[in-house]
């Protein structure tokens, strides 16, 4: 709204500025060498594009090279939004243009800057969400108007709705949708429609196949056939399968859960069952119960708050909610009342971690994280005075308060800081930067999606359509010209035939087949897009979607359907694909490399299986009895020969949540603002499972992309997961587990 007012009313917005703010610019070529050692390469590439392609920023690249220290002041500032710019940028740029410069220097603070821009331009009421007023929403509704709760993680409007209905003396019938619940829901609606009353259908997003039926039911409701006292309430997470007609005709509401550790803890103590004096004071082992109850509240808050840190917190964003906490609290009281002589911590950890909360957890590594967090809150040390939940400096205030009435705990919680540092949740301070960056990406993606099919809202009279087509045509020609021709599969199979003693021959040929499918898919769509833009063929819906994605600097979905997993923007994706194809071409021409770039494989699991299979056939051992010994090699020249004992040298991985310290040859804490760091060269040496070397190490998951999540496979892991690595460490496993440390094959840059 603010941008369109600037463009259409005040006439002081350049549409190319908005395009860059949302996409970061589009380029099919590599930027020049990054002259700094502190600005990430991704941001350097955006800075170059801002300087070369966007009006009013000419000379930015040259000025950056000459005055790096001045730009580094903004990069290092705690509040870069308010940090002063040097001339000429301090006087040349207006508030909106400063957002573009902030994007290429500190994108993690772009959300705050956009918030401040809207507030300064439009007023405070446009940035502060109003509180949910259930009574007002109800009075605006009718028997033919559904009321829709748009859910968010951790929110549960049912208790609020039931309390409101009780005050109005209204009968409420509710059902949680899922498999087989559709006919029951339809029957409830039909009954309430005729006699009056409220029907609540929870979790509509879980009943995708029943949504068309819901749409027909809502369309059939009229003032003539519906009792005036009838109301239909729906709850659903955002879902593309929710009926658009129902969404448009209904009254939409949302109620975000309390944000921040302090508010979350306070919410637990002010709601059932903890707020009930009979429950809070009803345990025979009062002192121990109240300490463990506070620990459970703290665990519940941590489990929810880690969601905002993305994959560092949880691989999958689980919807931990109030019922999980409620049943765990009641079980805690019951077990303590029934165990007068022993402390049933093991049973409580199992019920709370594996059943109540763990029942939602589908990822094996998330389950490991959940149990590690719970061990901090459910242990013998929690009964000691002054027990703290985090040993990190600055977290001393997060401890268990002394036993007392419920008011003591509420006052203690109110005295906690409004914003908790990431260390409280077991994370590194860099996690705040990761969280802010993810919020920025989500905001920009949402704004970009709201602009329509690849547009930016640029009016036709401004040359928007013609300039878009010209840019797309130029980009399609450049990308197609750089795309390698498909590999000659027959020649490769002749040179690298199926060999019982060399499984990597088969791996190579399979990789070439996969890459050929991707090359063909990209080449075909690029050629057809060029013809459609020039009017030689009809612009189909598929080609329109390809063009829209390219214009937004995204990889088209039709390419990703034939591709390996990747989160990179279009330009970086094509550069990455070129590097992978060059690796395969070099292998064909010169033979297997001494060091494999493990990130370059289309299907990494096939390569790892091939290495194991070579060893299994050589030593006559069943392959399912073989694992790897992992050795992290020191920094230096790469080996020129493969390992003599078999196995493979691999490189090209990255570390998230920690870093590899070459001096100590162990995992170490990340450096400030360095979110990802290179992993060491590793030797994967096959061995029998019973003979695997044991040493102090962190069992570190390796993922294909920073997203970490994927489709749940029959192995119990996601398709994004590759394998467990044993990485030397002098710290306990739990330390790195709570840090969310993982190795990655590729980044999103």
């Amino acid at each position: 709204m603010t941008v369109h007012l600037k463009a259409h009313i005040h006439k002081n917005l350049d549409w190319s500025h908005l395009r860059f703010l949302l996409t970061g610019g589009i380029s099919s070529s590599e930027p020049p060498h990054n002259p700094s050692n502190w600005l990430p390469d991704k941001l350097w590439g955006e800075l170059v594009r801002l300087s070369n392609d966007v009006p009013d920023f000419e000379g930015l690249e040259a000025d950056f090279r000459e005055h790096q220290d001045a730009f580094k002041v903004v990069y290092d500032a705690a509040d870069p939004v308010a940090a002063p710019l040097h001339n000429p940028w301090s006087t040349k740029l207006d508030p909106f243009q400063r957002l573009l410069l902030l994007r290429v220097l500190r994108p993690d603070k772009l959300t705050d800057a956009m918030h401040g821009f809207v507030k300064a331009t439009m007023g405070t009421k446009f940035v502060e969400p109003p509180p949910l007023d259930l009574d007002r929403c109800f009075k605006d509704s009718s028997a033919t108007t559904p009321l829709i709760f748009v859910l968010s993680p951790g929110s549960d409007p049912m208790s609020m709705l039931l309390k409101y209905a009780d005050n109005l003396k209204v009968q409420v019938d509710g059902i949680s949708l899922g498999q087989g619940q559709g006919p029951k829901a339809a029957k409830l609606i039909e009954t309430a429609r005729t006699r009056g009353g409220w029907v609540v259908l929870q979790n509509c997003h879980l009943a995708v196949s029943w949504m068309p039926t819901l749409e027909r039911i809502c369309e059939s409701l009229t003032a003539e056939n519906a009792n005036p006292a009838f109301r239909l309430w729906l709850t659903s997470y955002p879902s593309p399968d929710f009926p658009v007609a129902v969404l448009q005709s209904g009254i939409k509401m949302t109620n975000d859960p309390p944000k921040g550790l302090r508010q979350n803890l306070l919410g637990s103590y002010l709601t059932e069952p903890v707020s009930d004096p009979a429950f809070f004071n009803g345990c025979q082992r009062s002192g121990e119960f109240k300490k463990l109850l506070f620990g459970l509240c703290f665990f519940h808050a941590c489990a929810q708050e880690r969601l905002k840190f993305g994959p560092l917190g949880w691989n999958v964003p689980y919807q931990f909610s109030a019922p999980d906490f409620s049943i765990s609290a009641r079980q805690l009281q019951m077990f303590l009342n029934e165990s007068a002589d022993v402390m049933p911590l093991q049973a409580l950890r199992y019920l709370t971690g594996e059943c109540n909360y763990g029942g939602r957890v589908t990822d094996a590594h998330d389950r490991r994280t959940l149990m590690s967090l719970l061990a901090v809150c459910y242990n013998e040390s929690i009964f000691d005075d002054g027990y703290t939940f985090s040993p990190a400096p600055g977290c001393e205030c997060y401890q268990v308060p002394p036993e007392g009435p419920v008011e003591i705990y509420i006052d203690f919680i109110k005295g906690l800081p409004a914003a908790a540092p990431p260390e409280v949740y077991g994370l590194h301070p860099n996690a705040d930067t990761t969280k802010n960056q993810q919020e920025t990406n989500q905001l920009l993606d949402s704004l970009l999606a709201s602009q329509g099919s690849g547009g930016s809202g640029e009016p036709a009279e401004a040359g928007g359509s013609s300039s878009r087509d010209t840019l797309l045509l130029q980009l399609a020609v450049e990308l197609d010209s750089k795309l390698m021709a498909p590999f000659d599969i027959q020649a490769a199979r002749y040179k690298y035939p199926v060999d019982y003693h060399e499984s990597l021959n088969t791996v190579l040929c399979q990789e070439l087949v996969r890459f050929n499918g991707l090359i063909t898919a990209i080449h075909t769509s690029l050629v057809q897009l060029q013809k459609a833009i020039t009017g030689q063929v009809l612009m189909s819906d598929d080609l329109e979607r390809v063009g829209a994605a390219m214009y937004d600097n995204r990889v088209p979905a039709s390419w990703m359907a034939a591709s390996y997993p990747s989160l990179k923007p279009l330009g970086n994706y094509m550069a990455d694909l070129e590097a992978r194809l060059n690796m395969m071409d070099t292998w064909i021409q010169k033979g297997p490399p001494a060091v494999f770039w493990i990130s370059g494989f289309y299907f990494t699991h096939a390569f790892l299986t091939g290495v194991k299979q070579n060893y299994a056939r050589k030593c006559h051992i069943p392959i399912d009895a073989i694992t790897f010994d992992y050795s992290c090699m020191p920094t230096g020249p790469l080996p020129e020969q493969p390992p003599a004992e078999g196995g493979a040298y691999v490189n090209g991985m990255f570390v998230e949540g920690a870093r590899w310290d070459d001096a100590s040859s162990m995992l170490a804490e990340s450096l400030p603002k360095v979110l990802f760091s290179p992993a060491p060269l590793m030797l994967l040496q096959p061995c029998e499972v019973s003979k695997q070397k044991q040493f102090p190490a962190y069992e570190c998951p390796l993922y294909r992309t920073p997203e970490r999540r994927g489709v749940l496979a029959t192995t119990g892991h996601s398709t994004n997961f590759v394998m467990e690595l044993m990485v030397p460490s002098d710290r306990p496993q739990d330390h790195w587990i709570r840090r969310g440390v993982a190795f990655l094959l590729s980044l999103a840059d």
Side-chain angles (χ1 to χ4, degrees), residues 146-204:
L147 295 103
I148 306 165
F149 281 106
V150 181
L151 302 176
S152 57
S155 66
D156 183 15
M158 278 305 297
S159 58
M160 181 192 311
L161 179 58
L162 292 175
K163 184 176 181 180
Y164 180 67
D166 186 58
N167 292 337
L168 296 181
K169 305 295 191 242
V170 176
Q171 179 181 345
V172 178
D173 294 315
I175 188 171
S176 182
L177 293 180
Q179 188 173 7
Q181 300 301 305
K184 298 178 182 178
K187 187 175 181 180
L188 284 178
I189 295 174
E190 180 62 25
T191 302
R193 180 181 64 81
T194 55
R195 64 170 172 77
W198 294 358
V199 174
V200 183
L201 305 185
Q202 299 183 65
N203 301 320
C204 293

Side-chain angles (χ1 to χ4, degrees), residues 421-535:
E423 296 97 316
V424 174
Y425 314 116
L427 298 165
H428 188 273
N430 282 352
D432 257 346
T433 303
T434 301
K435 171 181 68 72
N436 294 337
Q437 181 66 67
Q438 289 171 348
E439 290 177 353
T440 295
N441 293 340
Q442 291 173 358
L443 176 60
L444 295 179
D445 289 344
S446 299
L447 290 173
L448 196 58
S450 70
Q451 302 303 312
S453 58
S456 62
E458 184 174 359
E461 61 269 18
S465 178
S466 60
S467 62
R468 178 180 184 271
D469 289 347
T470 301
L471 177 62
L472 281 178
L473 182 61
Q474 178 185 353
L475 186 60
V477 171
E478 289 180 2
L479 294 180
D480 194 39
S481 66
K482 294 180 180 181
L483 189 63
M484 184 180 293
F487 294 103
D488 188 336
I489 302 296
Q490 294 302 322
R493 286 174 176 165
Y494 180 80
K495 188 173 182 179
Y496 298 96
V498 176
D499 186 343
Y500 180 83
H501 297 289
E502 185 48 87
S503 298
L504 292 185
N505 286 1
T506 303
V507 172
L508 171 63
C509 294
Q510 290 176 346
E511 287 288 297
L512 298 182
V513 171
R514 295 185 183 101
F515 277 117
N516 274 2
L518 176 56
I519 292 171
T520 302
I522 295 176
H523 174 70
T524 301
S525 65
L526 288 176
V527 170
Q528 291 299 312
L529 181 62
Q530 294 173 52
K531 291 181 178 180
I533 293 175
T534 55

Side-chain angles (χ1 to χ4, degrees), residues 58-59 63 67 71 85-93:
E58 298 86 353
D63 191 55
H67 301 100
F71 287 98
L85 298 174
H86 67 286
N87 283 326
W89 310 109
S90 60
T91 55
K92 183 179 181 180
L93 303 181

Side-chain angles (χ1 to χ4, degrees), residues 617-659:
R617 290 173 173 176
K618 175 183 176 182
C619 300
H620 306 288
I621 303 171
I623 192 171
D624 57 0
I626 293 176
T627 186
F628 283 117
D629 269 331
Y630 305 94
S631 301
C632 296
M633 313 303 290
T635 301
L638 295 179
E640 298 182 356
Q641 297 295 328
E645 305 81 7
Y649 291 112
V650 297
N651 68 354
M653 297 178 288
F654 303 90
V655 190
E656 182 181 20
R659 67 181 174 91

